Amino acid sequence: MSETVSCEGIPFPSFATGSVSLIKYVEGAFPEKSVVHLAVTAEGKAPKAGQFYLIKAKKSGVLLARPISVYSSAENADGTVRVEFLILVKGQGTAELSDVSCGDEIEILGPLGNTFPNPDGKKKIAIVGGGIGVAPVAGFAQNLPEKSYDFFAAFKSGSYGLENVKADKLVITTDDGSVGIRGMITEALDAQKISAYSEVYACGPMPMLAYIQKICAEAGVKSWLSMENRMACGVGACLGCTIRTTEGNKRCCKDGPVFNGAILDFTPPKIKPIRDYRLPESEKPDLSVEINGVRFKNPVIAASGTFGYGSEYSSVFDVNLLGGICSKGLTLEPKAGNTGVRLVETPSGLINSIGLENPGIAHFIEHELPVMKKFKTTPIANLSGSSIDGYVEGARLLDKTDIPMIELNISCPNVKAGGMAFGMDCVAASTVTKAVREATKKPLMVKLSPNAPDLVGIAMAVREAGADAISLVNTFQAMSIDVETGRPVFDNVKAGLCGPAIRPLALRMVFDVVAAMNKLPEAERIPVVGIGGIATWRDAVEFIMAGASAVQVGTATFANPRAMIEIISGIESYMKRKGFRKLDDFRGIAQ
């Protein structure tokens, strides 16, 4: 790391790879194993009190490093610096950091941000830390003379991070009364008590900092508050971490994280979290979904093209637990699919050029459909084609079976229209939907392409043409080039991108289509099934909150064959925690 410093003696940030020299769970933190103590050794000088680093495990599945405040630091005799952090494990990035071992490599950018200013020395100061916010203020306290300050620490339960605090008075509050005073920081501090101090230094949850700002203002005491926000660059370039102040927007990573409390704007957000109203242990939420009279035991359906016909995964997990299974894309005649390379992995995704290889509808009806029907889940036939006649004849054949529902894939190229996909144009999409609608009495779900220039328009067109439901999205058009040959990897040049990379785009498209549906009279609306990069229960809940009646899961199964089972379990646990008895209780609440 660079050893250059500013005129104020603050080290400039640099990027380096450090080594883990300590990793252990913090005793006293509740729930257990929720906080880890990590020490990283790297080249450079020690950071100043109040600064932070962006850190990420070298072997990581996340894009961005996580901003973590310095708990303690020391320069070693060999010119390296040992930086210690307390990390609250609450997401993938911090979970990866909690799972490292001594000697593992850590990518580290820093030190970043400003520092806690030195006390004016007029009289004793107060230091306040809440939860994981104890770490940076405890680190600051280590630089002060013993007993020159009082320290107030607030936790939900238990206590930690106070080993090096040498306060004149140490006061601990816990919500559950497990340590110290029962209650929040309000039980230990008010405007009258805070007036005994010349300055207050604090870090913790936003509501706590807002309270400290309030009582300091009432008492006429200066406060220095360490803030946090989501970050990308950490050096002030991207402006993604700005916070509102009376002096305009300030960058948390560059102008902060320590701010004069008087300038901060703690206006509470208009939208508040959904409160937890846990269902009784004896009550199970109802995950069932009905789409056009077809019942699914839960909203998780295996997406077409990723799950075969169900039997392929039947030895891996209990396929009967799924809400439904969409067959491979079926065409009237057998199809050999595309030549050449068919798969290319991308960051957070997969480009595929399978080309709808399938045995043909007649073979499906005789061989694969009986297998699908043996499972205690709802089968769906995915119908594809290259001409109106092919679609119609395929629909007629499927209409004679007892398959409950047909999913019409209109992303296929229309050979009579120069190869342009049916789903790219409102007229073509309407025409093929209307023709298939007339050929079958079965519930018809039309699967839309995200590549269409007017997706909402096409959704409305297929609805008017007789679609009973809509599923979206299919894959995004993409490509890959072999840098050794200088030629496209795929014989067809372009192929379909799927996987987590497309999820935010798919979610937005589902949201837009549902919003358009909601403008219609209720009797004219049709259900929407969300597809696109869904890999976890949180992903599925997002789509349902956007208005999806159900979701389809595809690529995630390749990475984790039990993904759909975990999604079903996760949705059920979420509903129990929030007190939702049925999916309708939260479906579409984001609209």
Side-chain angles (χ1 to χ4, degrees), residues 408-413 420-425 429 446-456 458-459 462 470-477 496 506 509 513 531:
L408 182 63
N409 178 8
I410 62 173
S411 297
C412 305
M420 184 179 76
F422 287 95
M424 296 294 288
D425 174 79
V446 181
K447 187 172 186 178
L448 305 186
S449 168
N451 304 305
D454 181 11
L455 188 63
V456 171
I458 289 175
V462 300
I470 291 171
S471 59
L472 69 153
V473 296
N474 210 324
T475 58
F476 285 74
Q477 197 170 72
M509 291 176 172
V513 171
I531 317 169

Side-chain angles (χ1 to χ4, degrees), residues 170-388:
L170 173 62
V171 178
I172 300 173
T173 69
T174 50
D175 292 0
D176 62 1
S178 56
V179 180
I181 302 170
R182 176 185 288 273
M184 296 185 288
I185 197 65
T186 52
E187 299 298 318
L189 285 172
D190 55 26
Q192 181 178 356
K193 293 176 181 176
I194 213 75
S195 64
Y197 304 100
S198 62
E199 293 175 284
V200 176
Y201 297 76
C203 182
M206 203 69 72
M208 188 200 84
L209 294 181
Y211 176 73
I212 296 298
Q213 180 201 54
K214 175 178 175 292
I215 61 176
C216 284
E218 292 174 358
V221 175
K222 177 173 283 190
S223 63
W224 299 102
L225 308 183
S226 181
M227 303 288 286
E228 67 174 359
N229 206 349
R230 298 181 181 185
M231 292 184 186
C233 71
V235 295
C238 73
L239 305 181
C241 66
T242 57
I243 60 175
R244 295 176 59 183
T245 77
T246 58
E247 299 175 357
N249 287 343
K250 297 285 187 180
R251 299 165 297 179
C252 193
C253 68
K254 190 73 173 179
D255 305 311
V258 181
F259 294 92
N260 182 337
I263 71 169
L264 295 175
D265 182 353
F266 285 111
T267 302
K270 294 180 181 179
I271 300 176
K272 297 182 179 180
I274 303 170
R275 292 189 61 186
D276 290 357
Y277 293 99
R278 184 173 292 277
L279 292 179
E281 287 299 321
S282 60
E283 184 176 354
K284 292 189 66 174
D286 180 9
L287 271 66
S288 66
V289 180
E290 188 172 297
I291 300 175
N292 308 112
V294 178
R295 185 182 184 277
F296 299 83
K297 68 177 71 174
N298 61 64
V300 180
I301 302 168
S304 175
T306 65
F307 205 69
Y309 305 96
S311 60
E312 293 84 349
Y313 277 98
S314 60
S315 66
V316 180
F317 68 89
D318 188 357
V319 173
N320 297 298
L321 298 175
L322 301 180
I325 300 173
C326 280
S327 74
K328 292 280 289 183
L330 302 167
T331 52
L332 182 60
E333 302 295 337
K335 202 170 188 311
N338 293 333
T339 60
V341 174
R342 290 189 170 190
L343 297 173
V344 169
E345 185 177 359
T346 70
S348 296
L350 182 70
I351 308 176
N352 80 85
S353 182
I354 308 301
L356 292 173
E357 178 176 345
N358 75 99
I361 291 175
H363 189 282
F364 166 77
I365 292 173
E366 184 177 354
H367 298 282
E368 286 79 20
L369 179 55
V371 174
M372 291 183 74
K373 287 163 53 181
K374 289 181 181 179
F375 298 115
K376 297 176 182 179
T377 184
T378 304
I380 301 171
N382 181 281
L383 174 61
S384 303
S386 57
S387 68
I388 298 290

Side-chain angles (χ1 to χ4, degrees), residues 75 93 99 121 128 145 212 248 250 300 399 421 450 515 528:
E75 292 184 352
D99 198 37
V128 186
I212 296 298
K250 297 285 187 180
V300 180
D399 192 61
V528 174

Side-chain angles (χ1 to χ4, degrees), residues 390-462:
Y391 273 115
V392 168
E393 185 57 31
R396 286 174 179 161
L397 291 174
L398 291 171
D399 192 61
K400 297 175 184 178
T401 71
D402 54 359
I403 192 84
M405 177 178 280
I406 296 173
E407 181 180 55
L408 182 63
N409 178 8
I410 62 173
S411 297
C412 305
N414 181 355
V415 295
K416 292 185 178 181
M420 184 179 76
F422 287 95
M424 296 294 288
D425 174 79
C426 288
V427 174
S430 176
T431 300
V432 68
T433 301
K434 186 173 185 294
V436 172
R437 174 72 287 164
E438 292 173 352
T440 179
K441 295 179 181 178
K442 293 188 181 295
L444 184 64
M445 177 165 63
V446 181
K447 187 172 186 178
L448 305 186
S449 168
N451 304 305
D454 181 11
L455 188 63
V456 171
I458 289 175
M460 292 300 151
V462 300

